[in-house]
């Protein structure tokens, strides 16, 4: 290979008995496919291998029915019956010259065993780590011996399934092995508790036994959280975290190191904007072991990757989210096409899908999770069927994605945007506190669109029906977005709030625009219960406004539990001095007072309000679409037009939803119903044997 600034990233690395062809390492990550959707899983992992990742790992893989994570859909290697499904992945990954890794996991008190109904086990008797009134059984010596046997069997089965790298896993605040390591949990007085030597004993045994069982042909990796980011209340990388590494230094063939828990490991860009944010915690590991070290931290920049290798911080560039946002990241770097990398925006929509137990999705990469059931690939799309032209109206995430994909298919596309900038809602949202990385959604697409010679872009062009008729393009995609309503209609009420005329009522966009001139107290009313109201309140509080956050929910931004951000959001508001009032709806307004109603008792309380920001629901902008359809219905002859609403104009939702709907529209354009149906619903049917 010709030497380039990034050549070091493509050097092979020996990991125990196996060798990875390069330093790109897709660390284990959840995907909502696991044991329930093995074909989807294999195809998704295979695509990473095709995209150039040297190692491709599974998600956490339950080793036994006492580690049953239902209703979450993770991987399973309970016994030999799981081997065929897992082999689908290893074979598919090997086809592209990558190594396949499996993260063996026992989730201790984090696995509620709701499917298997077995007792939950843990080093101590404690409440399980889910809101469920159930406690663990304290493991006795026999349980520990059994657990070691299950782990060994799982390793043997993993080898039989064709895996090259087999993990022992103590991380994320949700593994049995980590529970044994942590003094704040493990208060045992036997040889598995007390001193650090005793608490490390089980991990050491697992590592040695796994090596003994499969180490002749498989590498044994240890995934270990060196710091819990709890200060002196938890494990710290310069104290016990370091001590554990020192005690086990040469035993594993590979150290995969990160911080714990999951909300710390997968921090969003809103709260941790820095790429490589975990490096300060994990870089010490290389000074202690001669074995290769992999680390993560939303690494997307090839220059940073090279510098991490050169300065000896890591041997392998670990990635979960960057590999989801762009499975072809390694190949793009290799081909010198770094400008084409679709960078992860750190929004954790991928994480949310796992938390909802559905197949993975990604804001930046609408093809993620669709490799098998829809046959999608982020870098290739079927060519156009005819020489038809297309008009896309609106350049938000949906319009941009639809334009880009139609153009990739070879269609000539005209993109019209009313504003003087492209980007739609992304322009607004990425200007809010903490969300600047979200701009990558529009930046990456606009960049590609500008490279193409089959796209005409018209900015400052608010199209009307007569403009569209003048253009004479018969295929029209309306990505005209949606508008926040101001009448208070939302989840909690379907009728407008009375008396709002006496107040200054604002949409989120108006509130931010007018922020310097707003008088307090400013009430942000969140009956959407997603992420936006929390961001608006946080943003407004910076201008030293008196901000009051009111929601019928019992916490701020409840949906963001799924993106692992809820606690950080509520903390941010409280620290900024925002007055948070939960469990209240706005019943009506009277003069400068809001009547708040308790969602439980109906009791009314009064609150002074000067400006009211409504974040309740959006109205899809369909006027133009309705006019087009009406015109079409009244036209007797002529060629039938393709008129399609996409994105928020069709169904207001997340940016990820808008991108997806734009992508789906471009993929489905000029496909017959039969083809669309086939592509839409390849499903994995249970075997009835
Ligand atoms: P989505 O999330 O579905 O992509 P957005 O709200 O982000 O939707 O973007 C909608 C975009 O459509 C906005 O930039 C808006 O200016 C543009 N738009 C709406 N109506 C028209 C129109 N009639 N002509 C041109 N652009 C329009
Ligand atoms: Fe990154 Fe968001 Fe995609 Fe996850 S969903 S990989 S955080 S862009």
């Amino acid at each position: 290979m010709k030497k380039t600034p990034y050549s070091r990233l493509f050097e092979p690395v020996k990991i125990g008995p196996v060798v990875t062809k390069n330093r790109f390492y897709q660390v284990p990550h959840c995907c909502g496919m696991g044991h329930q959707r093995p074909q989807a899983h294999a195809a998704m992992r295979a695509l990473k291998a095709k995209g150039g990742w040297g190692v491709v790992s599974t998600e956490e893989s339950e080793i036994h029915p006492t580690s049953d994570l239902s209703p979450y859909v993770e991987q399973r290697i309970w016994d030999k019956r799981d081997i065929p499904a897992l082999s689908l992945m290893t074979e598919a990954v090997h086809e592209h010259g990558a190594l396949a890794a499996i993260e063996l996991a026992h989730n201790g008190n984090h696995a509620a065993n709701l499917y298997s109904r077995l007792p939950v086990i843990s080093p101590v008797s404690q409440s399980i780590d889910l809101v469920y009134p159930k406690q663990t059984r304290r493991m006795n010596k026999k349980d520990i011996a059994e657990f070691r046997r299950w782990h060994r069997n799982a390793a043997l089965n993993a080898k039989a399934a064709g895996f090259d790298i087999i993990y022992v896993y103590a991380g994320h605040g949700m593994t049995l092995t980590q529970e044994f390591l942590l003094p704040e949990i493990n208060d045992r007085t036997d040889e598995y508790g007390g001193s650090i030597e005793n608490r490390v004993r089980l991990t050491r045994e697992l590592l040695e036994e796994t090596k003994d069982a499969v180490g002749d042909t498989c590498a044994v990796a240890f995934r270990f959280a060196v710091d819990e980011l709890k200060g002196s209340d938890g494990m710290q990388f310069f104290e016990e975290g370091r001590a554990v590494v020192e005690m086990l230094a040469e035993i594993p063939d590979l150290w995969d190191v990160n911080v714990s828990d999951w909300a710390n490991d997968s921090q969003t860009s809103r709260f941790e904007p820095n790429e490589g944010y975990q490096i300060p915690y994990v870089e010490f590991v290389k000074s202690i072991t001669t074995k290769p070290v992999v680390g993560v931290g939303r690494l997307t920049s090839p220059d940073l990757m090279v510098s991490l290798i050169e300065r000896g911080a890591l041997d392998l560039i670990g990635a979960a989210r960057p590999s989801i946002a762009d499975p072809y990241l390694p190949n793009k770097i290799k081909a010198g096409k770094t400008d084409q990398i679709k960078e992860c925006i750190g929004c954790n929509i991928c994480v949310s899908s796992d938390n909802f137990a559905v197949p993975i999705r990604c804001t930046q990469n609408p093809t993620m999770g669709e490799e098998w059931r829809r046959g999608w690939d982020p870098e290739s799309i079927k060519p156009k069927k005819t020489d038809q032209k297309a008009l896309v109206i609106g350049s938000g995430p949906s319009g941009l994605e639809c334009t880009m994909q139609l153009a990739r298919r070879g269609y000539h596309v005209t993109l019209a945007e009313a504003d003087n900038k492209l980007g739609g809602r992304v322009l607004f949202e990425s200007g809010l506190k903490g969300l600047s990385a979200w701009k990558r959604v529009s930046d990456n697409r606009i960049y590609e669109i500008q490279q193409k010679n089959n796209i005409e872009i018209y900015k400052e062009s608010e199209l009307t029906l007569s403009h569209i008729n003048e253009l004479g393009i018969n295929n029209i995609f309306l990505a005209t977005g949606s508008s926040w309503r101001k009448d208070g209609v939302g989840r909690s009420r379907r009728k407008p709030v009375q008396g709002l005329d006496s107040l200054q009522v604002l949409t989120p966009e108006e509130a931010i625009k007018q922020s310097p001139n707003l008088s307090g107290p400013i009430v942000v009313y969140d009956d959407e219960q997603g992420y936006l109201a929390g961001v608006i309140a946080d943003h407004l509080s910076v201008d030293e406004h008196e901000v009051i956050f009111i929601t019928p929910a019992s916490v701020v931004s409840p949906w963001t539990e799924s993106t692992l951000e809820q606690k950080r959001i509520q903390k941010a508001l409280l620290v900024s001095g925002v007055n948070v009032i939960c469990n209240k709806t706005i019943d009506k307004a009277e003069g400068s007072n809001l009547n708040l109603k308790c969602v439980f008792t109906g009791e009314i309380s009064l609150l002074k309000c000067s400006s009211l920001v409504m974040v309740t629901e959006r109205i899809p902008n369909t006027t133009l679409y309705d006019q087009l359809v009406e015109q079409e219905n009244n036209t007797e002859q002529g060629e039938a037009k393709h008129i399609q609403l996409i994105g928020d104009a069709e169904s207001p939702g997340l940016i990820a939803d808008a991108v997806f709907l734009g992508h789906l529209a471009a993929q489905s354009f000029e496909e017959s119903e039969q083809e669309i149906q086939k592509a839409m619903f390849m499903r994995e049917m249970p075997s009835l044997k």
Side-chain angles (χ1 to χ4, degrees):
M1 184 186 157
K2 203 172 102 224
K3 201 161 163 45
T4 74
Y6 307 125
S7 296
R8 290 227 58 189
L9 301 175
F10 295 92
E11 293 165 346
V13 179
K14 187 169 169 0
I15 308 174
V18 299
V19 177
T20 167
K21 65 179 177 183
N22 62 33
R23 297 182 188 269
F24 291 95
Y25 193 113
Q26 183 244 281
V27 296
H29 72 74
C30 299
C31 62
M33 292 168 171
H35 63 92
Q36 283 185 12
R37 301 170 181 117
Q39 296 178 95
H41 180 255
M44 184 269 286
R45 302 292 182 196
L47 194 85
K48 308 275 194 90
K50 185 181 172 200
W53 296 86
V55 179
V56 178
S57 309
T58 61
E59 59 274 59
E60 56 183 334
S61 307
E62 307 162 357
I63 62 165
H64 190 261
T66 55
S67 177
D68 158 30
L69 287 160
S70 309
Y72 304 106
V73 186
E74 308 304 332
Q75 199 48 268
R76 223 165 240 184
I77 183 158
W78 287 1
D79 59 39
K80 285 192 176 5
R81 288 171 295 179
D82 294 300
I83 293 175
L86 289 165
S87 302
L88 287 180
M89 171 194 158
T90 56
E91 283 161 17
V93 163
H94 288 159
E95 260 176 42
H96 298 284
L99 300 176
I102 182 167
E103 183 182 51
L104 301 184
H106 195 296
N107 294 77
N109 87 330
H110 188 75
N113 299 343
L114 296 176
Y115 171 62
S116 69
R117 303 189 69 182
L118 293 172
V120 180
I121 56 169
S122 153
V124 295
S125 172
Q126 59 175 327
S127 304
I128 67 165
D129 186 22
L130 285 170
V131 183
Y132 195 100
K134 195 169 177 179
Q135 285 184 222
T136 62
R137 185 181 84 218
R138 181 184 185 278
M139 291 167 77
N140 58 27
K141 294 282 181 53
K142 190 162 159 266
D143 291 323
I144 293 174
E146 278 293 275
F147 166 55
R148 288 165 55 191
R149 193 174 61 80
W150 302 334
H151 199 280
R152 186 186 179 94
N153 283 346
L156 288 166
N157 288 337
K159 179 179 171 177
F163 286 98
D164 310 286
I165 301 175
I166 297 179
Y167 270 80
V168 173
Y169 174 31
H172 288 120
M174 51 189 182
T175 41
L176 185 60
T177 322
Q178 192 183 20
E179 288 174 46
F180 272 91
L181 285 173
L182 298 174
E184 71 265 33
I185 295 176
N186 181 352
D187 62 1
R188 299 174 71 97
T189 52
D190 61 7
E191 66 267 39
Y192 288 98
S195 68
I196 185 160
E197 287 75 16
N198 283 354
R199 284 181 279 119
V200 168
R201 187 179 310 281
L202 182 62
T203 300
R204 181 194 294 280
E205 287 169 346
L206 293 182
L207 284 167
E208 286 171 349
E209 286 160 6
T210 308
K211 283 193 90 164
D212 179 61
V214 298
D216 52 342
T217 58
C218 301
V220 176
F222 182 36
R223 193 171 208 203
F224 173 53
V226 297
D227 203 303
E228 296 182 274
L229 306 197
K230 288 181 180 170
S232 55
D233 290 339
M235 182 167 283
Q236 299 190 88
F237 73 95
F238 50 85
E239 287 183 347
E240 285 214 337
R242 184 182 183 96
V244 172
V245 179
E246 283 170 350
M247 290 166 76
L248 303 173
E250 298 300 315
I251 303 179
D253 297 312
L254 170 81
W255 281 88
D256 177 345
V257 274
N258 61 1
V259 295
S260 170
D261 55 7
W262 194 14
N264 287 329
D265 186 28
S266 291
Q267 287 211 55
T268 56
S269 57
R270 180 170 170 189
F271 293 100
E272 180 45 89
N274 295 323
E275 188 177 336
Y277 55 89
Q278 297 199 28
I279 302 302
Y281 296 94
V282 303
E283 62 186 337
F284 77 91
V285 178
K286 262 192 65 65
S287 67
I288 294 172
T289 178
T290 62
K291 301 302 171 81
V293 177
V294 60
V296 292
R298 252 181 14 251
L299 300 167
T300 56
S301 147
D303 291 317
L304 176 62
M305 294 174 190
V306 171
S307 84
L308 290 174
I309 303 299
E310 302 223 308
R311 73 181 168 85
L314 299 176
D315 298 293
L316 296 152
I317 302 300
R321 290 173 294 177
S323 76
I324 295 166
D326 197 340
Y328 285 86
L329 185 144
N331 281 358
K332 287 180 182 175
I333 297 175
K334 195 171 189 177
K337 296 179 178 169
T338 53
D339 57 340
Q340 292 177 21
I341 293 172
K342 296 278 181 292
E343 300 155 294
C344 167
I345 69 166
C347 61
N348 276 7
I349 295 304
C350 49
V351 171
S352 80
S353 43
D354 185 64
N355 280 324
F356 288 118
V358 292
I360 190 166
R361 60 216 53 197
C362 168
T363 303
Q364 271 290 47
N365 175 10
T367 70
M368 178 46 55
E370 307 296 340
E371 301 80 5
W372 180 79
R373 69 177 183 178
R374 286 188 167 93
W376 289 358
D377 179 317
E379 293 303 312
S380 63
I381 188 163
K382 53 187 166 292
K384 65 179 180 178
K385 290 229 156 147
T386 66
D387 286 333
Q388 290 278 332
K389 291 183 173 173
L391 170 64
V392 178
I393 306 173
S395 70
S398 197
L400 288 177
E401 175 69 16
C402 186
T403 300
M404 185 176 92
Q405 299 300 348
L406 285 171
R408 280 184 177 187
R409 291 189 65 187
Y411 291 103
H412 184 279
V413 190
T414 301
L415 172 64
E417 168 54 54
D419 200 359
N420 62 0
K421 289 198 186 104
L422 305 181
R425 65 184 280 193
V426 173
L427 283 177
F428 168 65
E429 293 185 34
S430 63
L432 297 172
K433 187 179 167 196
L435 301 189
S436 59
W438 291 21
K439 189 133 187 307
R440 292 171 166 184
V441 174
S442 50
D443 285 350
N444 288 171
R445 288 172 173 76
I446 292 167
Y447 178 77
E448 181 171 338
I449 283 171
Q450 284 168 342
Q451 315 296 308
K452 297 219 174 288
N453 56 15
N454 55 340
I455 302 175
E456 280 175 69
I457 303 171
Y458 295 94
K459 294 184 206 167
E460 296 183 86
S461 303
E462 181 162 1
L463 297 196
T464 60
L465 187 62
S466 59
H467 292 135
I468 297 172
N469 289 338
E470 271 168 41
L471 281 168
I473 300 172
N474 279 348
N475 305 293
I476 307 154
F477 296 86
L478 294 110
T480 43
S482 59
S483 310
W484 287 98
R485 56 194 305 162
K486 296 208 274 187
D487 58 4
V489 170
R491 282 183 191 282
S492 304
R493 59 180 302 142
R494 301 311 305 163
K495 296 242 161 57
V497 174
Q498 297 301 301
L500 290 174
D501 311 346
S502 59
L503 293 170
Q504 185 183 22
V505 185
L506 304 139
T507 64
E509 291 92 343
E510 288 167 349
I512 298 303
K513 209 168 167 189
Q514 297 172 32
S515 170
N517 306 319
L518 291 183
S519 53
I522 306 171
V523 171
V524 177
Y525 181 56
D526 182 17
D527 198 16
E528 189 207 24
Q529 306 182 21
Y531 62 87
L532 192 69
V535 184
I536 297 288
D538 199 10
H539 192 102
L540 291 175
S541 70
V542 175
D543 285 341
E544 295 188 9
H545 289 302
E546 181 191 349
V547 180
I548 304 167
F549 185 93
I550 299 174
T551 177
S554 54
V555 292
V556 173
S557 307
W559 179 81
T560 62
E561 297 267 9
S562 73
T563 56
L564 311 176
E565 293 173 292
Q566 196 282 326
K567 286 195 178 62
R568 285 192 169 91
I569 292 170
Q570 191 140 353
K571 178 179 168 187
L573 296 199
L574 294 173
V575 168
S576 311
V578 174
N579 179 5
V580 173
I581 301 176
C582 295
N583 303 318
K584 303 258 166 135
T585 59
I586 296 178
D587 193 45
K588 63 177 174 183
E590 283 181 324
S592 60
N593 277 327
L594 290 176
N595 286 15
L596 305 184
K597 189 173 179 180
C598 172
V599 296
F600 303 115
T601 63
E603 191 187 338
I604 298 288
S605 51
L606 299 186
L607 183 83
K608 277 254 163 300
C609 168
S610 177
S611 312
L612 173 60
V613 188
M614 282 289 190
V615 190
T616 58
E617 214 169 83
R618 284 177 279 166
I619 299 173
N621 299 331
T622 60
T623 312
L624 199 50
Y625 171 80
D626 296 338
Q627 290 170 351
L628 274 164
V629 171
E630 197 188 330
Q631 174 180 275
E632 185 71 358
N633 289 343
N634 292 334
T635 307
E636 301 256 313
Q637 71 249 24
E639 203 182 328
K641 287 192 167 75
H642 177 96
I643 306 167
Q644 187 174 2
L645 277 177
I646 58 172
D648 290 315
E650 183 181 14
S651 157
L654 298 167
I655 293 175
D657 297 321
V659 172
F660 178 81
L661 292 174
H663 190 98
L664 182 64
Q667 286 267 11
S668 314
F669 181 50
E670 295 204 292
E671 296 298 316
S672 70
E673 255 331 283
Q674 206 184 6
E675 282 168 311
I676 294 172
Q677 284 305 324
K678 186 171 145 240
M680 277 180 89
F681 267 97
M682 291 259 287
R683 287 186 292 146
E684 302 197 47
M685 310 309 284
S687 155
L688 298 178
K689 265 192 268 168

